[in-house]
Amino acid sequence: MTDVAANASPLLSLRGIGKNYGPVVAVRDVDLDIHTGEVVAICGDNGAGKSSLIKVMSGAEEPTSGTMQMRGKDVHFASPHDALEHGVATIYQDLALAPRLSIAQNVFMGSELTRPFVLPFLRLLDKAKMIEESRRYLSKLSVAIQDMTRPVERLSGGQRQAVAISRALRWNADIIIMDEPTAALGVKETALVLDLIRTLKAGGHTVILISHNMRDVVALADRVVIMGAGRKFVDRPIDGLTADDLTHLIMSGNARAA
Ligand SMILES: Nc1ncnc2c1ncn2[C@@H]1O[C@H](COP(=O)(O)OP(=O)(O)OP(=O)(O)O)[C@@H](O)[C@H]1O
């Protein structure tokens, strides 16, 4: 994070966030500030509470306690759609794409463009515009696919991530949360996804990343948040930390939590 970002007021602020599932305490009293343009990695061992925390930020789960603010205003996300409308998009590992539908149909799923009314009762999809816009989103991500009518099932894993990110861009998301974006990918595809995230950052987007891959975290993140037993116990710039340092920090958190 730059000094400017550190001094600016946060884009998203969490205060005292807790999440229980019945008797299970998944997240405890987490304060977190996310600033515009930073890439924040959320790390921790299995069961540390990472997914539960991002589910609260993405509107998939309501917090049991605590408050959230966006740009200094209180927000309450009742659903993922609600979070999207506030500018927070989440891309889960399954990417939520429809494999048989085209790239353009996936980018515009749920927010299709229609042509101006010809007749008051007739709303026609503007396929040409959706194709053109989809190509624009993908080229912004430096992904060169010509045919926007190609079904998503014929794309590589990295290209699919690019389609999912394009959908988030289509919603004008300020914050893109990515859950283990490289987990199922090989070396080449992982490199493509890391480049996508760098391109997002260069375009001024804010990325929150859950990752178990410490090399990815060191390569991408400005800041790392480490969780253990539902608590945030590290929140610091990545400067100077190696992948091994991060692994040790996670293990020391586990030892403390045990
Ligand atoms: N829907 C649920 N119902 C009950 N308990 C849950 C639920 N979701 C998560 N938990 C529990 O909450 C705790 C935190 O889980 P969470 O999935 O948030 O951790 P995580 O850090 O994302 O783990 P992983 O890296 O394995 O995905 C765990 O003890 C988990 O079993």
Side-chain angles (χ1 to χ4, degrees), residues 206-220:
T206 306
V207 179
I208 301 174
L209 181 74
I210 288 195
S211 185
H212 282 285
N213 186 322
M214 296 307 128
R215 283 190 192 179
D216 289 359
V217 171
V218 168
L220 284 176

Side-chain angles (χ1 to χ4, degrees), residues 7-214:
N7 294 331
S9 58
L11 179 55
L12 178 68
S13 257
L14 275 55
R15 288 291 173 270
I17 291 291
K19 176 67 197 169
N20 299 354
Y21 301 100
V24 179
V25 182
V27 178
R28 296 162 200 261
D29 197 22
V30 169
D31 291 349
L32 181 62
D33 287 333
I34 306 289
H35 293 87
T36 300
E38 48 172 3
V39 176
V40 179
I42 301 184
C43 304
D45 212 346
N46 292 333
K50 308 177 295 295
S51 303
S52 301
L53 185 67
I54 65 159
K55 281 182 183 162
V56 168
M57 289 191 255
S58 70
E61 293 281 359
E62 302 227 8
T64 310
S65 55
T67 56
M68 287 199 290
Q69 290 197 326
M70 260 197 98
R71 296 187 186 83
K73 292 202 174 124
D74 288 341
V75 285
H76 169 86
F77 300 153
S79 66
H81 191 265
D82 205 11
L84 257 184
E85 292 203 324
H86 281 87
V88 181
T90 305
I91 301 174
Y92 288 100
Q93 262 178 53
D94 67 2
L95 304 180
L97 298 174
R100 299 211 170 151
L101 298 186
S102 71
I103 295 173
Q105 283 170 310
N106 272 282
V107 170
F108 282 89
M109 194 182 290
S111 64
E112 288 82 358
L113 298 178
T114 51
R115 289 195 228 158
F117 291 121
V118 183
L119 293 168
F121 51 84
L122 195 62
R123 295 191 74 196
L124 294 175
L125 291 180
D126 194 341
K127 289 186 186 163
K129 187 100 196 275
M130 288 192 279
I131 285 174
E132 183 193 319
E133 294 273 298
S134 300
R135 192 172 290 124
R136 195 169 60 80
Y137 288 124
L138 284 166
S139 67
K140 258 195 200 174
L141 294 169
S142 307
V143 175
I145 306 173
Q146 285 311 311
D147 181 9
M148 292 297 119
T149 65
R150 199 191 294 175
V152 157
E153 66 190 356
R154 287 183 37 214
L155 301 180
S156 70
Q159 290 171 328
R160 288 178 200 205
Q161 282 277 352
V163 174
I165 293 171
S166 296
R167 186 194 287 167
L169 296 179
R170 151 75 187 142
W171 283 96
N172 289 323
D174 299 309
I175 299 181
I176 300 180
I177 302 176
M178 302 177 82
D179 185 8
E180 290 276 357
T182 62
L185 302 179
V187 175
K188 195 170 146 217
E189 293 297 309
T190 295
L192 172 62
V193 171
L194 299 190
D195 279 344
L196 290 174
I197 297 171
R198 287 191 190 102
T199 309
L200 282 174
K201 179 179 161 63
H205 292 278
T206 306
V207 179
I208 301 174
L209 181 74
I210 288 195
S211 185
H212 282 285
N213 186 322
M214 296 307 128

